[in-house]
Amino acid sequence: MQLTSTLLVATAKIISGYTIRWVDCLPDTCQRIYFANHTSHLDALVLWASLPREIRELTRPVAAKDYWEKGWLRRHIAKTFNALLIDRNEVKVHQSPIDLMIREMKDRYSLIIFPEGRRNPAEEMIKFKSGLFYLAKKRPDLELVPVYLDNMSRVLPRGEILPVPLLSHITIGAPIWLEKGETKHQFLDRARTAIINLKDC
Amino acid sequence: MLNLFHQYLWAFVDVKRVLNLPFDEPTAWLIATVMLLLILASAAGKLLDGTSEQRLNTAIVRSFNQRIRSWWLMSAVLIAGLFIGEHGTVVLFGLIGFWALREFITMTPTRRSDHRTLFWVLVVFTPLQFFLVAIQGELFLIAIPIYASLFIPARIAMANDAKRFLERSAKIQIGLLICVYALSFAPAILYLDLGSNKQPNVEIDAPVTIESAANEAAQRTSWSHVKDSDGNDINRNKGLLFFFVLITQLNDVLQYAWGKLLGKNIIAPRINTSRTWEGVIGGAATSALLGALFSWVTPFLFWQAAIMAIVISFMGFAGGMTMSAIKRDRGVKDYGTLVQGHAGILDRIDSLCFAAPVFYHLTKVFFAI
């Protein structure tokens, strides 16, 4: 387990050449939700790999079950980075993904989520799904940390299998919380703006 | 006095035998000199950093210290290369070229449909070029100019996207040409078999002239390959490569320094405001002097080394100007600031890339056996 996890981090580093910058936010093992823009299948892996080791061990990327359970390699990788797999197709009557996330987080783990809901190749981020809002509402103690992933769409764009080892960059910004009286719409807009603002800082 | 010098020299030779250094004596001396200079420069940098901020331009001090750091790195790479052999040096240059091309493409906007072409360029052609250098055929000379540069536009065409087609092809071609093809000539220097106009080295059992003037050509014994006292093969081209990199890097600084001291006539203010005619000429003159000074590590006579240094100087200038133009066009100042925290290797090797093929060619034409 340890070996493959080290191997996975090294591979992520070689393929994406990432550097990470913490702006107005320091690495911490407190419970957080890292939410980022989503352009590539590598996003979850690279963001997870770039975190300092003691934080990485406590951080679980939330990923699509239909993608990560296909084939031995993907299953193995998902297991190594301790992914929390969500079934996108299952009817969400009995349990919502939010409840599942909260249950799986316990009082220990942090999560990586992509509120756009799917990979978006366009420059402009699409509207956020409401999951982030409900997470913030049900667990007001969590720090919601915006993350901007730059250049990942060029490393492995949608629809490609082989990555091109360019250089990418990760910017992590100041945490936000759900304000009192803030509507779902307002909050999701503010969260989206928080990521957009990281582009130019 | 002379006796003392001899004793010192012998002590050195003994050390060399004990350590079993895989390179010849002049190269060892050159490394020692460079190390000494670097230590002095680092000490000077520390000292400058400590002085009060009003008296010195902090930006200049910072760039000076940055330069010294990258020099340490480059020397470490070269010296590591000396120990791990020729192929190891090729691999190290290959990694540098790969990283430089990565920076180049990251800075250059490409379209989604260029993805597979970029994969070929970065993952196939780049390692292949350095592999071809290491196997010492002629193929490394034509692999990129012929095969890769014709393959690139064809592959882009197959991606079914005609938008800005010529521009996209040219961007990828020029990146591969400068960062990989041109740079690969530097480690290729190691595999040249060179002769010399100099007297045969004392280390070799000097053949007493049997047929003297009749066959002058036969007197051009291999300068590149000699045997040490234990009969091990020593490749003296490692010293020549060190000489080349040293002059290139020193010339960068000299051009900058002369430009700061005397610079009045800026060559192309819209491209680069720090490159002046005074800097170029002053840099070439001092580089020539340094080239002659270090000629003992090369197969060149001192005046030949001076001419080589002048060529290196002008090519280094050409490389710097070209890269400045590309950076201005893209609106970035340094490749290092392009993506926060990256080293900016391309900033350091632009002159090396331009000088390497020309230095290789001239050395091959005039000195290869």
Side-chain angles (χ1 to χ4, degrees), chain B residues 2 5 27 56 58 74 115 158 263 266 282:
Chain B
L2 202 71
F5 180 70
T27 308
L56 279 162
T58 41
M74 199 164 306
H115 185 81
M158 280 163 67
I266 297 170

Side-chain angles (χ1 to χ4, degrees), chain B residues 19-319:
Chain B
L19 292 175
N20 202 10
L21 295 178
F23 40 86
D24 63 317
E25 221 169 282
T27 308
W29 281 110
L30 185 65
I31 292 170
T33 315
V34 169
M35 284 293 117
L36 192 70
L37 284 173
L38 269 175
I39 290 167
L40 285 177
S42 296
K46 273 260 163 16
L47 215 66
L48 286 175
D49 218 16
T51 49
S52 60
E53 289 188 11
Q54 295 95 332
R55 281 169 53 203
L56 279 162
N57 190 337
T58 41
I60 294 179
V61 173
R62 202 176 318 126
S63 101
F64 180 72
N65 281 327
Q66 229 164 23
R67 237 172 229 284
I68 291 170
R69 259 199 302 281
S70 65
W71 279 21
W72 274 111
L73 193 75
M74 199 164 306
S75 312
V77 166
L78 278 174
I79 292 167
L82 294 178
F83 281 97
I84 57 183
E86 292 97 74
H87 290 354
T89 312
V90 176
V91 171
L92 289 173
F93 271 92
L95 290 173
I96 293 174
F98 172 74
W99 198 278
L101 184 59
R102 222 174 171 187
E103 285 178 1
F104 187 94
I105 304 275
T106 301
M107 177 198 63
T108 317
T110 53
R111 283 171 68 79
R112 165 72 182 77
S113 39
D114 296 335
H115 185 81
R116 295 195 177 179
T117 315
L118 291 176
F119 182 84
W120 275 95
V121 165
L122 268 164
V123 180
V124 181
F125 288 133
T126 301
L128 182 68
Q129 172 67 11
F130 288 92
F131 173 74
L132 292 175
V133 168
I135 61 169
Q136 303 171 46
E138 295 280 288
L139 199 53
F140 91 92
L141 295 168
I142 58 165
I144 285 178
I146 295 180
Y147 294 99
S149 55
L150 293 178
F151 175 86
I152 288 167
R155 188 66 191 81
I156 295 179
M158 280 163 67
N160 195 22
D161 177 6
K163 201 167 181 192
R164 293 187 283 119
F165 175 79
L166 261 183
E167 194 187 324
R168 282 155 57 208
S169 309
K171 273 186 220 166
I172 300 175
Q173 282 169 330
I174 204 171
L176 189 64
L177 184 78
I178 293 175
C179 303
V180 175
Y181 181 68
L183 183 70
S184 72
F185 280 90
I189 292 170
L190 292 176
Y191 301 110
L192 286 172
D193 193 7
L194 302 175
S196 171
N197 299 324
K198 292 178 184 173
Q199 292 293 313
N201 198 293
V202 263
E203 265 187 82
I204 317 166
D205 292 336
V208 188
T209 45
I210 305 163
E211 290 104 23
S212 47
N215 41 2
E216 217 172 280
Q219 274 192 353
R220 280 170 68 91
T221 47
S222 174
W223 174 87
S224 301
H225 301 282
V226 290
K227 293 204 184 301
D228 67 7
S229 43
D230 298 336
N232 300 319
D233 258 325
I234 284 185
N235 179 355
R236 298 173 77 190
N237 287 12
K238 289 172 175 177
L240 183 62
L241 175 61
F242 208 104
F243 169 87
F244 165 70
V245 176
L246 183 69
I247 298 292
T248 317
Q249 297 294 315
L250 283 176
N251 175 64
D252 275 357
V253 179
L254 289 169
Q255 279 187 2
Y256 182 77
W258 281 110
K260 275 269 174 274
L261 278 176
L262 304 174
K264 288 206 171 55
N265 301 298
I266 297 170
I267 297 165
R270 263 169 297 192
I271 300 292
N272 190 324
T273 48
S274 66
R275 293 198 184 265
T276 59
W277 285 114
E278 291 81 358
V280 174
I281 292 165
T286 24
S287 291
L289 211 65
L290 286 173
L293 207 65
F294 288 122
S295 65
W296 40 268
V297 81
T298 70
F300 316 139
L301 297 172
F302 75 93
W303 60 270
Q304 294 166 329
I307 291 174
M308 283 297 197
I310 291 173
V311 172
I312 290 174
S313 172
F314 284 126
M315 289 315 294
F317 159 73

Side-chain angles (χ1 to χ4, degrees), chain A residues 13-19 21 151 154-169, chain B residues 98-99 101-103 105-110 112 114-116 118-120 122-123 338-342:
Chain A
K13 177 78 190 172
I14 291 166
I15 289 176
S16 71
Y18 63 77
T19 48
R21 203 159 50 107
N151 224 16
R154 288 178 75 199
V155 176
L156 185 67
R158 203 189 169 106
E160 293 287 349
I161 304 163
L162 296 169
V164 171
L166 296 175
L167 300 170
S168 60
H169 187 55
Chain B
F98 172 74
W99 198 278
L101 184 59
R102 222 174 171 187
E103 285 178 1
I105 304 275
T106 301
M107 177 198 63
T108 317
T110 53
R112 165 72 182 77
D114 296 335
H115 185 81
R116 295 195 177 179
L118 291 176
F119 182 84
W120 275 95
L122 268 164
V123 180
L338 159 76
V339 184
Q340 272 271 338
H342 281 301

Side-chain angles (χ1 to χ4, degrees), chain A residues 2-125:
Chain A
Q2 195 49 59
L3 180 73
T4 44
S5 132
T6 312
L7 200 72
L8 210 57
V9 171
T11 313
K13 177 78 190 172
I14 291 166
I15 289 176
S16 71
Y18 63 77
T19 48
I20 186 165
R21 203 159 50 107
W22 298 76
V23 182
D24 301 326
C25 178
L26 288 171
D28 198 319
T29 50
C30 69
Q31 278 196 292
R32 281 173 169 168
I33 305 281
Y34 298 93
F35 63 100
N37 57 323
H38 196 19
T39 55
S40 164
H41 271 315
L42 287 174
D43 286 344
L45 173 64
V46 168
L47 177 50
W48 173 82
S50 69
L51 295 170
R53 195 173 149 184
E54 64 276 15
I55 298 175
R56 194 193 309 143
E57 280 165 358
L58 292 175
T59 305
R60 305 185 59 181
V62 176
K65 200 169 196 167
D66 49 288
Y67 180 79
W68 288 101
E69 287 219 319
K70 215 180 277 169
W72 175 85
L73 184 68
R74 281 184 199 170
R75 252 201 313 275
H76 188 72
I77 290 174
K79 214 166 121 187
T80 308
F81 68 51
N82 201 8
L84 174 52
L85 298 181
I86 298 283
D87 197 329
R88 290 188 287 191
N89 306 318
E90 200 177 78
V91 192
K92 296 157 191 167
V93 178
H94 304 298
Q95 58 168 11
S96 76
I98 302 302
D99 291 331
L100 182 69
M101 284 182 211
I102 287 175
R103 202 164 58 238
E104 290 280 322
M105 276 182 92
K106 305 189 182 94
D107 55 356
R108 192 172 147 73
Y109 290 103
S110 296
L111 296 183
I112 294 172
I113 65 168
F114 301 100
E116 285 175 282
R118 61 179 172 86
R119 285 169 299 145
N120 165 34
E123 184 79 6
E124 195 86 338
M125 268 190 290

Side-chain angles (χ1 to χ4, degrees), chain B residues 99-100 103 334-339 341-349:
Chain B
W99 198 278
E103 285 178 1
D334 289 311
Y335 291 97
T337 55
L338 159 76
V339 184
H342 281 301
I345 281 186
L346 205 43
D347 292 322
R348 292 283 89 86
I349 66 163

Side-chain angles (χ1 to χ4, degrees), chain A residues 124-125 146 148 189 191-201:
Chain A
E124 195 86 338
M125 268 190 290
Y148 177 63
D189 250 13
R192 189 167 166 271
T193 317
I195 294 183
I196 293 170
N197 287 342
L198 291 175
K199 264 189 209 183
D200 312 306
C201 78

Side-chain angles (χ1 to χ4, degrees), chain B residues 104 106-109 171 324-332 335:
Chain B
F104 187 94
T106 301
M107 177 198 63
T108 317
K171 273 186 220 166
S324 289
I326 295 173
K327 283 185 275 191
R328 282 315 153 268
D329 181 34
R330 295 296 322 130
V332 290
Y335 291 97

